[in-house]
PDB file of all heavy atoms in Angstrom:
ATOM      1  N   ALA E 118      18.055  -1.858 -27.007  1.00 96.00           N
ATOM      2  CA  ALA E 118      19.120  -1.325 -27.848  1.00 96.00           C
ATOM      3  C   ALA E 118      19.609   0.011 -27.327  1.00 96.00           C
ATOM      4  O   ALA E 118      18.804   0.830 -26.883  1.00 96.00           O
ATOM      5  CB  ALA E 118      18.617  -1.161 -29.290  1.00 96.00           C
ATOM      6  N   ILE E 119      20.926   0.225 -27.359  1.00 98.00           N
ATOM      7  CA  ILE E 119      21.521   1.510 -26.995  1.00 98.00           C
ATOM      8  C   ILE E 119      22.006   2.136 -28.312  1.00 98.00           C
ATOM      9  O   ILE E 119      22.891   1.556 -28.975  1.00 98.00           O
ATOM     10  CB  ILE E 119      22.668   1.340 -25.987  1.00 98.00           C
ATOM     11  CG1 ILE E 119      22.148   0.764 -24.654  1.00 98.00           C
ATOM     12  CG2 ILE E 119      23.335   2.684 -25.716  1.00 98.00           C
ATOM     13  CD1 ILE E 119      22.139  -0.714 -24.554  1.00 98.00           C
ATOM     14  N   VAL E 120      21.423   3.258 -28.690  1.00 98.00           N
ATOM     15  CA  VAL E 120      21.721   3.846 -30.006  1.00 98.00           C
ATOM     16  C   VAL E 120      22.064   5.331 -29.866  1.00 98.00           C
ATOM     17  O   VAL E 120      21.718   5.996 -28.894  1.00 98.00           O
ATOM     18  CB  VAL E 120      20.510   3.721 -30.965  1.00 98.00           C
ATOM     19  CG1 VAL E 120      20.130   2.258 -31.181  1.00 98.00           C
ATOM     20  CG2 VAL E 120      19.316   4.519 -30.466  1.00 98.00           C
ATOM     21  N   VAL E 121      22.759   5.835 -30.895  1.00 98.00           N
ATOM     22  CA  VAL E 121      23.034   7.277 -31.030  1.00 98.00           C
ATOM     23  C   VAL E 121      22.761   7.664 -32.472  1.00 98.00           C
ATOM     24  O   VAL E 121      22.758   6.805 -33.363  1.00 98.00           O
ATOM     25  CB  VAL E 121      24.494   7.611 -30.650  1.00 98.00           C
ATOM     26  CG1 VAL E 121      24.762   7.395 -29.180  1.00 98.00           C
ATOM     27  CG2 VAL E 121      25.473   6.817 -31.515  1.00 98.00           C
ATOM     28  N   PRO E 122      22.521   8.938 -32.732  1.00 97.00           N
ATOM     29  CA  PRO E 122      22.353   9.371 -34.126  1.00 97.00           C
ATOM     30  C   PRO E 122      23.621   9.076 -34.924  1.00 97.00           C
ATOM     31  O   PRO E 122      24.721   9.067 -34.381  1.00 97.00           O
ATOM     32  CB  PRO E 122      22.119  10.879 -34.000  1.00 97.00           C
ATOM     33  CG  PRO E 122      21.672  11.096 -32.589  1.00 97.00           C
ATOM     34  CD  PRO E 122      22.358  10.037 -31.772  1.00 97.00           C
ATOM     35  N   ALA E 123      23.461   8.859 -36.200  1.00 96.00           N
ATOM     36  CA  ALA E 123      24.599   8.533 -37.047  1.00 96.00           C
ATOM     37  C   ALA E 123      25.663   9.633 -37.022  1.00 96.00           C
ATOM     38  O   ALA E 123      26.856   9.343 -37.157  1.00 96.00           O
ATOM     39  CB  ALA E 123      24.123   8.296 -38.485  1.00 96.00           C
ATOM     40  N   ALA E 124      25.256  10.852 -36.813  1.00 96.00           N
ATOM     41  CA  ALA E 124      26.188  11.986 -36.816  1.00 96.00           C
ATOM     42  C   ALA E 124      26.885  12.184 -35.467  1.00 96.00           C
ATOM     43  O   ALA E 124      27.763  13.057 -35.335  1.00 96.00           O
ATOM     44  CB  ALA E 124      25.461  13.272 -37.199  1.00 96.00           C
ATOM     45  N   SER E 125      26.526  11.387 -34.453  1.00 97.00           N
ATOM     46  CA  SER E 125      27.098  11.556 -33.113  1.00 97.00           C
ATOM     47  C   SER E 125      28.589  11.259 -33.104  1.00 97.00           C
ATOM     48  O   SER E 125      29.099  10.438 -33.862  1.00 97.00           O
ATOM     49  CB  SER E 125      26.404  10.611 -32.140  1.00 97.00           C
ATOM     50  OG  SER E 125      27.048  10.623 -30.877  1.00 97.00           O
ATOM     51  N   ASP E 126      29.324  11.966 -32.212  1.00 97.00           N
ATOM     52  CA  ASP E 126      30.745  11.676 -32.047  1.00 97.00           C
ATOM     53  C   ASP E 126      30.978  10.416 -31.219  1.00 97.00           C
ATOM     54  O   ASP E 126      32.101   9.961 -31.073  1.00 97.00           O
ATOM     55  CB  ASP E 126      31.460  12.881 -31.412  1.00 97.00           C
ATOM     56  CG  ASP E 126      30.949  13.185 -30.000  1.00 97.00           C
ATOM     57  OD1 ASP E 126      29.849  12.713 -29.619  1.00 97.00           O
ATOM     58  OD2 ASP E 126      31.645  13.931 -29.265  1.00 97.00           O
ATOM     59  N   ILE E 127      29.924   9.854 -30.668  1.00 98.00           N
ATOM     60  CA  ILE E 127      30.012   8.598 -29.925  1.00 98.00           C
ATOM     61  C   ILE E 127      30.005   7.455 -30.924  1.00 98.00           C
ATOM     62  O   ILE E 127      28.990   7.165 -31.572  1.00 98.00           O
ATOM     63  CB  ILE E 127      28.846   8.460 -28.929  1.00 98.00           C
ATOM     64  CG1 ILE E 127      28.882   9.589 -27.903  1.00 98.00           C
ATOM     65  CG2 ILE E 127      28.896   7.098 -28.230  1.00 98.00           C
ATOM     66  CD1 ILE E 127      27.678   9.622 -26.981  1.00 98.00           C
ATOM     67  N   GLN E 128      31.140   6.793 -31.084  1.00 97.00           N
ATOM     68  CA  GLN E 128      31.283   5.732 -32.080  1.00 97.00           C
ATOM     69  C   GLN E 128      31.077   4.340 -31.466  1.00 97.00           C
ATOM     70  O   GLN E 128      30.632   3.430 -32.168  1.00 97.00           O
ATOM     71  CB  GLN E 128      32.678   5.797 -32.701  1.00 97.00           C
ATOM     72  CG  GLN E 128      32.944   7.104 -33.463  1.00 97.00           C
ATOM     73  CD  GLN E 128      32.145   7.230 -34.720  1.00 97.00           C
ATOM     74  OE1 GLN E 128      31.967   6.267 -35.482  1.00 97.00           O
ATOM     75  NE2 GLN E 128      31.592   8.423 -34.969  1.00 97.00           N
ATOM     76  N   THR E 129      31.408   4.191 -30.203  1.00 97.00           N
ATOM     77  CA  THR E 129      31.336   2.879 -29.532  1.00 97.00           C
ATOM     78  C   THR E 129      30.768   3.044 -28.146  1.00 97.00           C
ATOM     79  O   THR E 129      30.644   4.157 -27.620  1.00 97.00           O
ATOM     80  CB  THR E 129      32.730   2.243 -29.416  1.00 97.00           C
ATOM     81  OG1 THR E 129      33.524   3.067 -28.527  1.00 97.00           O
ATOM     82  CG2 THR E 129      33.417   2.139 -30.764  1.00 97.00           C
ATOM     83  N   LEU E 130      30.470   1.904 -27.513  1.00 97.00           N
ATOM     84  CA  LEU E 130      29.975   1.957 -26.129  1.00 97.00           C
ATOM     85  C   LEU E 130      31.062   2.535 -25.212  1.00 97.00           C
ATOM     86  O   LEU E 130      30.748   3.210 -24.233  1.00 97.00           O
ATOM     87  CB  LEU E 130      29.543   0.574 -25.661  1.00 97.00           C
ATOM     88  CG  LEU E 130      28.726   0.562 -24.354  1.00 97.00           C
ATOM     89  CD1 LEU E 130      27.365   1.221 -24.555  1.00 97.00           C
ATOM     90  CD2 LEU E 130      28.551  -0.864 -23.822  1.00 97.00           C
ATOM     91  N   ASP E 131      32.335   2.271 -25.521  1.00 97.00           N
ATOM     92  CA  ASP E 131      33.422   2.841 -24.719  1.00 97.00           C
ATOM     93  C   ASP E 131      33.357   4.355 -24.703  1.00 97.00           C
ATOM     94  O   ASP E 131      33.609   4.992 -23.670  1.00 97.00           O
ATOM     95  CB  ASP E 131      34.774   2.399 -25.295  1.00 97.00           C
ATOM     96  CG  ASP E 131      35.140   0.971 -24.888  1.00 97.00           C
ATOM     97  OD1 ASP E 131      34.515   0.446 -23.943  1.00 97.00           O
ATOM     98  OD2 ASP E 131      36.061   0.403 -25.505  1.00 97.00           O
ATOM     99  N   ASP E 132      33.014   4.968 -25.846  1.00 97.00           N
ATOM    100  CA  ASP E 132      32.890   6.421 -25.907  1.00 97.00           C
ATOM    101  C   ASP E 132      31.781   6.909 -24.996  1.00 97.00           C
ATOM    102  O   ASP E 132      31.916   7.940 -24.307  1.00 97.00           O
ATOM    103  CB  ASP E 132      32.595   6.877 -27.343  1.00 97.00           C
ATOM    104  CG  ASP E 132      33.761   6.586 -28.291  1.00 97.00           C
ATOM    105  OD1 ASP E 132      34.890   6.418 -27.817  1.00 97.00           O
ATOM    106  OD2 ASP E 132      33.502   6.558 -29.513  1.00 97.00           O
ATOM    107  N   LEU E 133      30.657   6.173 -25.006  1.00 98.00           N
ATOM    108  CA  LEU E 133      29.526   6.540 -24.143  1.00 98.00           C
ATOM    109  C   LEU E 133      29.910   6.412 -22.665  1.00 98.00           C
ATOM    110  O   LEU E 133      29.610   7.287 -21.852  1.00 98.00           O
ATOM    111  CB  LEU E 133      28.321   5.671 -24.447  1.00 98.00           C
ATOM    112  CG  LEU E 133      27.078   5.895 -23.578  1.00 98.00           C
ATOM    113  CD1 LEU E 133      26.525   7.299 -23.764  1.00 98.00           C
ATOM    114  CD2 LEU E 133      26.002   4.872 -23.926  1.00 98.00           C
ATOM    115  N   VAL E 134      30.604   5.342 -22.343  1.00 97.00           N
ATOM    116  CA  VAL E 134      31.032   5.094 -20.972  1.00 97.00           C
ATOM    117  C   VAL E 134      31.963   6.207 -20.493  1.00 97.00           C
ATOM    118  O   VAL E 134      31.855   6.685 -19.354  1.00 97.00           O
ATOM    119  CB  VAL E 134      31.745   3.719 -20.855  1.00 97.00           C
ATOM    120  CG1 VAL E 134      32.475   3.598 -19.523  1.00 97.00           C
ATOM    121  CG2 VAL E 134      30.723   2.584 -21.011  1.00 97.00           C
ATOM    122  N   ALA E 135      32.850   6.659 -21.365  1.00 97.00           N
ATOM    123  CA  ALA E 135      33.755   7.749 -21.010  1.00 97.00           C
ATOM    124  C   ALA E 135      32.995   9.025 -20.634  1.00 97.00           C
ATOM    125  O   ALA E 135      33.317   9.710 -19.664  1.00 97.00           O
ATOM    126  CB  ALA E 135      34.733   8.034 -22.151  1.00 97.00           C
ATOM    127  N   LYS E 136      31.962   9.334 -21.411  1.00 96.00           N
ATOM    128  CA  LYS E 136      31.130  10.517 -21.104  1.00 96.00           C
ATOM    129  C   LYS E 136      30.376  10.344 -19.797  1.00 96.00           C
ATOM    130  O   LYS E 136      30.231  11.281 -19.015  1.00 96.00           O
ATOM    131  CB  LYS E 136      30.155  10.771 -22.253  1.00 96.00           C
ATOM    132  CG  LYS E 136      30.813  11.322 -23.522  1.00 96.00           C
ATOM    133  CD  LYS E 136      29.774  11.581 -24.613  1.00 96.00           C
ATOM    134  CE  LYS E 136      30.423  12.125 -25.888  1.00 96.00           C
ATOM    135  NZ  LYS E 136      30.867  13.526 -25.733  1.00 96.00           N
ATOM    136  N   LEU E 137      29.865   9.121 -19.571  1.00 96.00           N
ATOM    137  CA  LEU E 137      29.137   8.856 -18.332  1.00 96.00           C
ATOM    138  C   LEU E 137      30.048   9.028 -17.101  1.00 96.00           C
ATOM    139  O   LEU E 137      29.634   9.604 -16.095  1.00 96.00           O
ATOM    140  CB  LEU E 137      28.601   7.426 -18.336  1.00 96.00           C
ATOM    141  CG  LEU E 137      27.212   7.182 -18.921  1.00 96.00           C
ATOM    142  CD1 LEU E 137      26.924   5.681 -18.913  1.00 96.00           C
ATOM    143  CD2 LEU E 137      26.150   7.912 -18.130  1.00 96.00           C
ATOM    144  N   LYS E 138      31.235   8.521 -17.192  1.00 95.00           N
ATOM    145  CA  LYS E 138      32.178   8.619 -16.076  1.00 95.00           C
ATOM    146  C   LYS E 138      32.576  10.069 -15.813  1.00 95.00           C
ATOM    147  O   LYS E 138      32.717  10.481 -14.650  1.00 95.00           O
ATOM    148  CB  LYS E 138      33.423   7.786 -16.355  1.00 95.00           C
ATOM    149  CG  LYS E 138      33.214   6.288 -16.266  1.00 95.00           C
ATOM    150  CD  LYS E 138      34.520   5.550 -16.537  1.00 95.00           C
ATOM    151  CE  LYS E 138      34.374   4.064 -16.350  1.00 95.00           C
ATOM    152  NZ  LYS E 138      35.639   3.343 -16.622  1.00 95.00           N
ATOM    153  N   ALA E 139      32.710  10.850 -16.891  1.00 95.00           N
ATOM    154  CA  ALA E 139      33.090  12.242 -16.744  1.00 95.00           C
ATOM    155  C   ALA E 139      32.002  13.080 -16.094  1.00 95.00           C
ATOM    156  O   ALA E 139      32.264  13.898 -15.218  1.00 95.00           O
ATOM    157  CB  ALA E 139      33.459  12.835 -18.105  1.00 95.00           C
ATOM    158  N   ASP E 140      30.752  12.848 -16.527  1.00 95.00           N
ATOM    159  CA  ASP E 140      29.621  13.605 -15.995  1.00 95.00           C
ATOM    160  C   ASP E 140      28.327  12.913 -16.357  1.00 95.00           C
ATOM    161  O   ASP E 140      27.797  13.118 -17.448  1.00 95.00           O
ATOM    162  CB  ASP E 140      29.624  15.041 -16.534  1.00 95.00           C
ATOM    163  CG  ASP E 140      28.512  15.916 -15.943  1.00 95.00           C
ATOM    164  OD1 ASP E 140      27.739  15.399 -15.106  1.00 95.00           O
ATOM    165  OD2 ASP E 140      28.422  17.087 -16.327  1.00 95.00           O
ATOM    166  N   PRO E 141      27.784  12.054 -15.459  1.00 94.00           N
ATOM    167  CA  PRO E 141      26.571  11.292 -15.784  1.00 94.00           C
ATOM    168  C   PRO E 141      25.409  12.189 -16.214  1.00 94.00           C
ATOM    169  O   PRO E 141      24.639  11.828 -17.102  1.00 94.00           O
ATOM    170  CB  PRO E 141      26.238  10.556 -14.481  1.00 94.00           C
ATOM    171  CG  PRO E 141      27.509  10.537 -13.714  1.00 94.00           C
ATOM    172  CD  PRO E 141      28.267  11.764 -14.109  1.00 94.00           C
ATOM    173  N   GLY E 142      25.281  13.342 -15.601  1.00 94.00           N
ATOM    174  CA  GLY E 142      24.177  14.236 -15.897  1.00 94.00           C
ATOM    175  C   GLY E 142      24.256  14.893 -17.264  1.00 94.00           C
ATOM    176  O   GLY E 142      23.234  15.368 -17.792  1.00 94.00           O
ATOM    177  N   ALA E 143      25.437  14.882 -17.867  1.00 96.00           N
ATOM    178  CA  ALA E 143      25.610  15.502 -19.179  1.00 96.00           C
ATOM    179  C   ALA E 143      25.165  14.594 -20.308  1.00 96.00           C
ATOM    180  O   ALA E 143      25.047  15.029 -21.455  1.00 96.00           O
ATOM    181  CB  ALA E 143      27.076  15.901 -19.388  1.00 96.00           C
ATOM    182  N   VAL E 144      24.921  13.332 -19.992  1.00 97.00           N
ATOM    183  CA  VAL E 144      24.463  12.367 -21.006  1.00 97.00           C
ATOM    184  C   VAL E 144      22.949  12.240 -20.880  1.00 97.00           C
ATOM    185  O   VAL E 144      22.441  11.702 -19.900  1.00 97.00           O
ATOM    186  CB  VAL E 144      25.133  10.996 -20.807  1.00 97.00           C
ATOM    187  CG1 VAL E 144      24.584   9.997 -21.826  1.00 97.00           C
ATOM    188  CG2 VAL E 144      26.638  11.115 -20.939  1.00 97.00           C
TER     189      VAL E 144
END
Side-chain angles (χ1 to χ4, degrees):
I119 297 90
V120 301
V121 293
S125 172
D126 63 343
I127 298 173
Q128 298 291 318
T129 65
L130 193 67
D131 281 345
D132 295 339
L133 177 63
V134 167
K136 288 181 180 288
L137 270 176
K138 288 181 175 180
D140 184 359
V144 177

